[in-house]
Amino acid sequence: CSSDLIQVPYLKLNAKAKDPTLIDKKTVIFVDEAGMVDTKLMKNLLLRAAASGAKVILTGDGRYSQLQPVQAGNYFREITRQTPSMELKEIRRQKSEEDRKVVRRLASGQAEKAIESLIKRGRYQEAPTKEESAKNLISLWLEKYRENPRSGLIVAATNHWNDHLNQVAQESRLKAGLLGPETLPMGSETFRIGDRVLFTGKSKDIGVIKGALGTITAMRGSGLTVHLDTEKTVKVPTSTFRDIRLGYSITTHRS
């Protein structure tokens, strides 16, 4: 193995291949969503682990590759083709068997059959434009979840539509008198008591992890009190922690 500098930023690895101070033979490195790691990055990681005797455990969707790497290649897919691996087949997220069938059909490329099932159960809507689709989505969401948005999460394909849907959802709840009068501007968004929020960063001091969802229950100055969906309540000083945004809608990638 060469002594060239190897960098794996998201694992916080940045050392020469023979440097034993960072990881060693007692180290186990877990890489989740490994299907999103490009070939060059995966090669660098495995070289570094091999040089130190570390063990690497890769988890992800290797067969269907739900999300492709941004850069070239999909090394994880090739690894799963050539190396014995364990596969989880039991679906736990969807509770009904019909919903589980939809997931299996989508995963195996049977999109038409999956959509047919959704149509028969009144769970599929179609419109000629994205704008009309978004309008119909919000109308359905307001009908079912306006008073309890925690029960109905909106998922959008892009950041643009995610921002738009968050804004429309907030405005609709404000008009319905479901949000408090106090406001706290932050960037392009304004928070109110009753708003759903998403944490886009983590903080040990506050006690939140990236991706956590919650509801604003109180507001004082630049501070927010947020009741997380895990039933934990946290205090957020937005003067020092700004990794928070509206959470009525999230992107497909984040979901």
Side-chain angles (χ1 to χ4, degrees), residues 1-54:
C1 186
S2 70
S3 60
D4 293 338
L5 187 67
I6 288 176
Q7 296 177 322
V8 188
Y10 73 99
L11 289 176
K12 297 182 180 178
L13 300 184
N14 185 351
K16 291 194 173 183
K18 294 183 180 180
D19 180 1
T21 60
L22 194 60
I23 57 176
D24 57 26
K25 63 182 180 181
K26 295 182 180 180
T27 302
V28 180
I29 301 172
F30 291 85
V31 182
D32 194 17
E33 300 292 357
M36 296 178 65
V37 183
D38 62 81
T39 297
K40 183 177 180 181
L41 198 60
M42 183 71 80
K43 174 187 174 184
N44 289 344
L45 169 62
L46 297 180
L47 283 175
R48 177 66 185 89
S52 303

Side-chain angles (χ1 to χ4, degrees), residues 71-89:
Q71 303 299 328
N74 191 329
Y75 203 67
F76 183 55
R77 182 173 57 199
E78 296 306 313
I79 291 175
T80 57
R81 286 177 177 174
Q82 301 181 37
T83 307
S85 58
M86 298 293 292
E87 185 176 0
L88 300 178
K89 296 183 178 180

Side-chain angles (χ1 to χ4, degrees), residues 230-255:
T230 58
E231 306 304 338
K232 176 183 177 182
T233 298
V234 297
K235 303 285 187 180
V236 184
T238 60
S239 58
T240 57
F241 182 86
R242 303 183 66 82
D243 295 331
I244 184 172
R245 60 173 302 155
L246 290 176
Y248 296 104
S249 173
I250 64 175
T251 62
T252 308
H253 186 279
R254 190 176 295 279
S255 73

Side-chain angles (χ1 to χ4, degrees), residues 52-174:
S52 303
K55 183 176 184 178
V56 179
I57 297 178
L58 307 175
T59 66
D61 193 341
R63 178 176 297 180
Y64 303 118
S65 300
Q66 291 172 315
L67 292 172
Q68 293 291 313
V70 175
Q71 303 299 328
N74 191 329
Y75 203 67
F76 183 55
R77 182 173 57 199
E78 296 306 313
I79 291 175
T80 57
R81 286 177 177 174
Q82 301 181 37
T83 307
S85 58
M86 298 293 292
E87 185 176 0
L88 300 178
K89 296 183 178 180
E90 183 179 354
I91 297 175
R92 293 181 176 272
R93 182 171 293 171
Q94 283 72 27
K95 303 305 179 184
S96 76
E97 182 55 33
E98 191 61 35
D99 285 340
R100 290 171 180 167
K101 287 181 181 178
V102 169
V103 175
R104 294 190 190 101
R105 286 167 175 167
L106 289 173
S108 60
Q110 302 178 62
E112 289 187 3
K113 289 185 178 180
I115 293 174
E116 283 176 7
S117 171
L118 295 174
I119 291 174
K120 288 178 181 178
R121 293 181 290 151
R123 298 176 63 182
Y124 179 87
Q125 301 289 329
E126 188 175 295
T129 66
K130 291 180 180 180
E131 289 75 15
E132 290 181 68
S133 291
K135 184 178 179 180
N136 292 344
L137 169 61
I138 285 294
S139 295
L140 289 169
W141 182 83
L142 289 173
E143 181 183 328
K144 294 185 177 183
Y145 307 113
R146 179 171 60 182
E147 296 189 14
N148 186 20
R150 175 177 172 175
S151 299
L153 182 63
I154 301 170
V155 180
T158 66
N159 285 321
H160 168 76
W161 284 106
N162 183 59
D163 294 342
H164 173 72
L165 292 168
N166 265 319
Q167 182 180 356
V168 174
Q170 183 191 48
E171 290 174 352
S172 300
R173 297 193 72 230
L174 179 61

